Amino acid sequence: MSPTKGKTPAIDATAWVLATLPGSVVPPVDMPTLRFESGRVLGSDGCNRYNAPYTAVDSRLQIGPRGAGTLMACPGAASRLAASFNAAMARVQSYRLDGQTLVLLDAGGATLASFAAQ
C-alpha cells in the first residue's frame, strides 16, 4: 500500500489560472491567478495583485486572514470579476486536484472556483 494513499497532493510550489468562477464570466485576458509559494498565495484577481498567507493540511485549505494587495480602480467587468474572485477566496475551506485542475471548495463541498495549471 502506498504511504500517500488517501492523501491530497500538496499545492505548494504550484501556479494556476482561473478557469471557472460560478456566476461570473471569465474573460480571455487578465484572468485571476494563484501561486502557492512557501506558505503564501499570490497572484492577480484580474484587477489587482494580492498576497496572503495560506495553510493547507491534507485537503483542507485556509487563505488569509491577513493579506495585502494593490488598490487600482478597474473598469466595470474587471472590477466585478475581482470582487467575485475575492469573495470566493474568502470562503475557501478545502481543495481537490483533478489532474491538471485545482478545484476550490466551500465548507459544504460546493465548487467556488476551478483553475488550470499554469
Side-chain angles (χ1 to χ4, degrees), residues 12 15 22 61-62 78 94 108:
D12 195 53
L61 175 63
Q62 179 181 357
S94 62

Side-chain angles (χ1 to χ4, degrees), residues 35-112:
R35 188 172 80 234
F36 295 94
E37 189 175 291
S38 302
R40 306 255 346 141
V41 60
L42 31 124
S44 168
D45 65 10
C47 177
N48 287 286
R49 307 285 307 159
Y50 68 87
N51 73 74
Y54 83 90
T55 304
V57 178
D58 294 326
S59 65
R60 294 178 45 97
L61 175 63
Q62 179 181 357
I63 297 174
R66 292 183 188 90
T70 59
L71 297 173
M72 295 178 13
C74 296
S79 181
R80 285 189 299 276
L81 177 61
S84 295
F85 176 82
N86 289 317
M89 294 305 101
R91 295 178 44 217
V92 171
Q93 294 292 310
S94 62
Y95 72 97
R96 177 179 75 236
L97 289 173
D98 293 334
Q100 294 293 304
T101 302
L102 171 67
V103 181
L104 300 182
L105 309 162
D106 69 11
T111 298
L112 293 168

Side-chain angles (χ1 to χ4, degrees), residues 1-51:
M1 179 182 273
S2 168
T4 60
K5 185 170 176 67
K7 294 214 179 224
T8 302
I11 55 174
D12 195 53
T14 63
W16 308 90
V17 62
L18 184 67
T20 63
L21 185 63
S24 297
V25 175
V26 180
V29 295
D30 297 325
M31 293 181 290
T33 59
L34 291 171
R35 188 172 80 234
F36 295 94
E37 189 175 291
S38 302
R40 306 255 346 141
V41 60
L42 31 124
S44 168
D45 65 10
C47 177
N48 287 286
R49 307 285 307 159
Y50 68 87
N51 73 74

